[in-house]
Amino acid sequence: MNKLPLTLDLDALRSFVTGIECGSFALAATRLCRSTSAVSAQLKKLEQQCDAELVVKQGRHLALTRNGEILMGYARRLLALNDEAQRALKGELLQGEIRIGMQEDFGESLMPGILGEFKRHHPGLRIIARVDRNPALLTALDDNALDMALLWQPENAPREGKLLGQCQLEWIQHPELDISTLLAQGEPLPLVMFENPCLMRSRATACLDRAGIAWRVVFVSHSLSGIWAAVQAGLGITLRTRVGMPGNLRVAGGILPSPGNLGIMLAQGNAADTGARAKLGQLMEAALLNVR
């Protein structure tokens, strides 16, 4: 009789997939409600089962080995089938359509992983996603073009939604930009900003005005990628959170006055609430625990 093939551990596969999606097994442990040591032990068990190294460290991040890349595709399919079977037995399969908007900071960093996980859990649900700036997302909600949107909390414009937390605003610059010398020489602080209206632009200029620091906008962008490119080129300093900050930039520290915090809000559209909206909101709230 032929020996049966080894059965891969689904819990270990889930830790493996979540660790890569989070970029860290410590963050994966938080999402999975397990200890970091338990998740690490599961990865070691999975590598023993596969008789292959699956991940390697690259700086502060994790990268898949060749064998890890092969396993990842199978792991996601196995987990999706397992989860779909569980939901089918419980009558929890979601159908229909959900339209979600997200502010650029979240669209480029957090949301791909969140939406990917949600789609794997609910393959029968159609997801329509839009990445845009706050004013456009708020207008889309009012026009019933979106069911929900993850955005920066609007100032002086209350609307229905849930405040998920606060993010510290930071002055972000290229390491070679000498802010101290500019201030000592009385030079206006060069700013890289979105065009108006912009919450962070307003917060930045008001903060500098209160501190008596001269400033001038030297670069205006219509996209977040343009903001990061200009700062990486050393053209000036910007005000953002650490969400999605490129690794070759740094926070200016205590050189400039603190601009405070900015709330993260999950705003709701006018359509009736659904189970899909509630489940996706819970997933986003859990993911944001790791970035505040």
Side-chain angles (χ1 to χ4, degrees):
M1 181 180 293
N2 293 331
K3 184 179 179 181
L4 292 174
L6 182 68
T7 301
L8 296 175
D9 185 297
L10 282 175
D11 283 338
L13 286 174
R14 195 178 301 279
S15 293
F16 167 62
V17 171
T18 307
I20 294 300
E21 290 180 344
C22 292
S24 156
F25 284 108
L27 294 180
T30 300
R31 180 177 293 187
L32 295 171
C33 298
R34 296 173 181 156
S35 67
T36 303
S37 60
V39 170
S40 297
Q42 285 184 319
L43 176 64
K44 184 176 181 180
K45 176 182 179 180
L46 190 60
E47 290 184 324
Q48 290 173 344
Q49 289 182 326
C50 297
D51 192 25
E53 187 178 30
L54 301 175
V55 299
V56 292
K57 288 282 284 185
Q58 285 188 351
R60 296 181 298 171
H61 302 287
L62 297 172
L64 293 170
T65 64
R66 181 176 177 277
N67 286 318
E69 289 178 345
I70 294 172
L71 179 63
M72 179 59 71
Y74 288 105
R76 284 176 169 155
R77 286 156 56 192
L78 286 167
L79 291 171
L81 282 172
N82 174 81
D83 296 346
E84 185 177 346
Q86 293 282 0
R87 288 190 299 275
L89 290 170
K90 298 175 183 178
E92 294 178 354
L93 286 179
L94 296 178
Q95 303 292 330
E97 177 181 283
I98 185 167
R99 303 163 302 169
I100 179 172
M102 59 207 79
Q103 212 279 341
E104 283 186 287
D105 299 80
F106 309 119
E108 295 185 4
S109 55
L110 290 177
M111 292 308 294
I114 293 172
L115 292 182
E117 181 177 346
F118 188 73
K119 182 64 176 177
R120 287 193 298 275
H121 287 178
H122 304 285
L125 187 69
R126 183 184 179 196
I127 299 174
I128 299 176
R130 170 179 176 178
V131 177
D132 215 324
R133 294 178 58 195
N134 261 38
L137 294 177
L138 291 169
T139 299
L141 287 168
D142 291 337
D143 293 342
N144 198 31
L146 290 175
D147 297 312
M148 58 196 303
L150 186 68
L151 39 75
W152 298 116
Q153 183 182 23
E155 294 182 347
N156 303 319
R159 65 171 298 119
E160 184 180 354
K162 182 178 182 181
L163 184 63
L164 300 184
Q166 300 279 337
C167 268
Q168 175 66 45
L169 286 169
E170 307 280 10
W171 297 102
I172 298 173
Q173 64 171 96
H174 190 279
E176 294 181 3
L177 184 64
D178 192 346
I179 300 298
S180 297
T181 298
L182 288 175
L183 295 178
Q185 294 175 347
E187 292 287 332
L189 189 69
L191 300 180
V192 175
M193 294 286 160
F194 278 122
E195 60 183 348
N196 274 320
C198 172
L199 286 172
M200 296 185 190
R201 177 170 175 158
S202 299
R203 185 74 68 87
T205 56
C207 180
L208 294 174
D209 286 343
R210 286 194 300 269
I213 297 175
W215 55 269
R216 60 190 175 98
V217 177
V218 298
F219 187 92
V220 175
S221 176
H222 298 285
S223 68
L224 183 58
S225 59
I227 294 285
W228 291 134
V231 177
Q232 287 173 311
L235 299 184
I237 189 169
T238 194
L239 185 70
R240 308 295 306 171
T241 70
R242 294 176 187 255
V243 177
M245 183 180 80
N248 63 339
L249 300 180
R250 70 176 178 85
V251 171
I255 301 174
L256 296 171
S258 173
N261 298 327
L262 194 57
I264 305 171
M265 181 178 178
L266 183 59
Q268 306 290 345
N270 300 319
D273 200 1
T274 64
R277 185 192 293 186
K279 288 181 181 295
L280 184 53
Q282 291 168 4
L283 195 60
M284 287 190 285
E285 188 168 3
L288 285 167
L289 289 175
N290 300 317
V291 300
R292 298 203 293 270

